[in-house]
Each structure stands twice: as structure tokens, then as C-alpha cells.
Amino acid sequence: MTFSLASINVNGIRAAVKRGMHESLAQTKPDVITLQEVRAPESITSKLLDEWELVNFECEIKGRAGVSIGVRRDSHVKLLPETARFGAQPEGVEALPVDTGRWLEVDVLDGDRRVTIVSAYLHSGEVGTEKMDQKYAHLELVTARMAELLSGDVIMTGDLNIVHTELDIKNWKGNHNKTAGVLDEEIAYVDTWLGSGWVDVTRKLTGNEQGPYTWWSYRGKAFDTNAGWRIDYHLATPSIADSATSVHVDKAEDYASRYSDHAPLRVIYS
């Protein structure tokens, strides 16, 4: 069977819905959505996204982070909410503050195929501050968990807040080793994941082209001039990566039509 999976940093679910998220999803009709930076409790997300069966993981800091995974209620794909796992910390350990609302796993059934879906929102970080320490602490947890997941059928999606190479950012020279998300120490984590066997699905399908970018600052003319960053990913284990047939960045037609500073990253798996 075929299913489509869209990873979307919504930059606040309330604002995204007001700005046209429903209309966008009605056009692209993904079977599964993974959301990041939801910034709302389940009581809110379930009402705003009532066409979706959802699992939600709030951040313990109100108004921050938050990730969700949803399956469209009329899709052939089925959500298995009892399989939900909250946080990248070791099994049986309560989620650390650095990890709450940032890593959510749940299994779905696509016909007779069972796939684990991950929605991840990694810290953005800020050079020379405690935020950078928090980012690296979380990256250590994520790396350990990804090593555990590698043997299964898994798609890890989300806003990872790290570019991988010069192809993933318009202004490499101006940001490399100066700005969080473009530091060699951060990029080394992505190298580790890919080196261990995880597949960058977007890069696999697009080859060595510049972009496609998924985030543009609200400041200045970044969107209009396509001065973007590719920081949203689908990283898949090899068996699932081989079934990816196409990738789509569902970019808004113009600045005014955006419902987030990110565009959905949608992949078709068959």
C-alpha cells in the first residue's frame, strides 16, 4: 500500500489553524502528520484537529515546544496509540526537562506493514549560552535512541534545527561555525546518524541539488528571495527509505499565505 507522511513545524497550532493549515492539508491530504512546536495541550489540539486521531506530547514548560503525531480519520492507515512512547530518554526513565515535548514515537499500520513514526523537535540552541548545552544534551539522548531504533521499520521526522551540508542553506559562509544549526559539532551528529545506516530521504530523492529549503525567517525578504534552510527531515531506516517514491515541500504561494515559518515536508512511501 501507499501512504503519505507530512512533517510540519506549525509554530503554534492555534495560529497555524487560523492562518489556513486546514485548507493546506485538505489539498495535500497526507495520511499521517507529525507536528512540532505545537505549544498547546491535548485538549486544544484534539478540538482544532478533530479530523485527525492524535497523540500529543506537551512540554512541561507552558507555551514551549510540543510534538504530535496524527492519522487522518478517513485514511486506510491506522494509528496504534497504545504504542506511544514519550521522550528519547532510556526506557523506563522519566522524560528529562530537556526532552519533554520534543520526541514522540507511535506505531501505525499501513495494510499489514507496521511502521514506527517519530516526531522530533530538537533544540534550536544559541551559541555561547545554556541553550546550546541543552541542545547537546538532547542530541546525546536522541543519538542513543536512534541506535536502538535502527533495526526496525522507522521514520524519524521533524525539525532537527541542524543543516547537514552547504546544500542545505542559502548563506553557508555567513553562518558556518557562527550560528547555531550550522556548527560542525552539531553537524557531526547528523554524520553519525547517517553513518550508522539512517537514510536522509529528501537527499536520497533529490540528489545533490541546492535545497529544497523548508524554513525561511519571517524577517526581511528571506521567503521572497528563497534564503532558506533545510532543517526539516525524514530520516528512515533502510527498509523504509527504499519505499520512498517522492518528496514534496508544500511551500506557500507567497509570504501572505504562510501559516508557519516552515513548510510541510511530505514524502510518499509505497
Side-chain angles (χ1 to χ4, degrees):
M1 291 183 133
T2 297
F3 76 98
S4 60
L5 167 58
S7 176
I8 316 167
N9 180 314
V10 296
N11 196 17
I13 190 64
R14 298 173 181 87
V17 168
K18 287 180 181 178
R19 293 171 178 163
M21 180 179 173
H22 281 308
E23 291 77 5
S24 175
L25 291 176
Q27 290 181 350
T28 58
K29 291 187 74 69
D31 295 288
V32 183
I33 53 174
T34 62
L35 308 180
Q36 302 89 42
E37 212 170 349
V38 175
R39 303 203 301 258
E42 186 173 359
S43 59
I44 298 294
T45 58
S46 60
K47 290 179 181 178
L48 293 177
L49 298 171
D50 59 354
E51 296 178 359
W52 301 81
E53 185 177 2
L54 290 169
V55 177
N56 203 54
F57 183 29
E58 285 180 63
C59 180
E60 68 173 23
I61 304 173
K62 188 175 181 180
R64 294 280 300 279
V67 287
S68 300
I69 298 173
V71 170
R72 205 177 68 245
R73 293 189 185 278
D74 62 354
S75 171
H76 70 279
V77 178
K78 301 303 178 188
L79 183 74
L80 302 175
E82 68 277 8
T83 66
R85 187 179 185 281
F86 304 90
Q89 78 288 339
E91 196 76 54
V93 177
E94 186 177 350
L96 304 174
V98 73
D99 193 24
T100 61
R102 292 186 179 273
W103 183 277
L104 172 64
E105 303 170 17
V106 71
D107 289 0
V108 302
L109 280 179
D110 172 38
D112 59 359
R113 177 172 62 171
R114 183 165 173 157
V115 182
T116 298
I117 307 294
V118 179
S119 181
Y121 176 49
L122 306 192
H123 292 255
S124 56
E126 186 177 333
V127 175
T129 72
E130 184 182 355
K131 292 180 179 179
M132 211 68 218
D133 297 334
Q134 293 172 343
K135 182 170 191 172
Y136 288 127
H138 193 226
L139 283 167
E140 287 294 318
L141 291 177
V142 167
T143 299
R145 182 57 183 157
M146 289 179 71
E148 295 174 340
L149 290 171
L150 187 57
S151 61
D153 292 335
V154 185
I155 309 171
M156 185 274 229
T157 71
D159 175 6
L160 306 190
N161 272 310
I162 306 172
V163 305
H164 187 219
T165 72
E166 295 181 47
L167 296 176
D168 301 317
I169 183 171
K170 178 80 171 280
N171 184 11
W172 171 264
K173 290 183 178 179
N175 289 283
H176 184 220
N177 283 327
K178 301 172 186 174
T179 306
V182 202
L183 307 180
D184 285 340
E185 190 173 352
E186 298 168 287
I187 292 168
Y189 284 94
V190 183
D191 288 336
T192 295
W193 304 335
L194 299 183
S196 69
W198 288 87
V199 178
D200 182 346
V201 174
T202 298
R203 190 55 67 208
K204 174 182 171 66
L205 293 173
T206 61
N208 292 325
E209 67 174 43
Q210 190 68 31
Y213 306 134
T214 60
W215 176 81
W216 303 262
S217 173
Y218 274 133
R219 300 173 184 173
K221 297 286 185 179
F223 186 82
D224 297 332
T225 60
N226 199 28
W229 300 36
R230 186 177 78 94
I231 53 177
D232 300 270
Y233 292 78
H234 284 223
L235 299 182
T237 52
S239 59
I240 298 298
D242 286 344
S243 73
T245 58
S246 61
V247 60
H248 311 267
V249 176
D250 296 321
K251 186 180 179 183
E253 292 183 3
D254 53 42
Y255 183 97
S257 303
R258 304 170 76 189
Y259 66 80
S260 172
D261 51 354
H262 293 250
L265 178 63
R266 180 168 50 93
V267 175
I268 311 299
Y269 296 90
S270 64

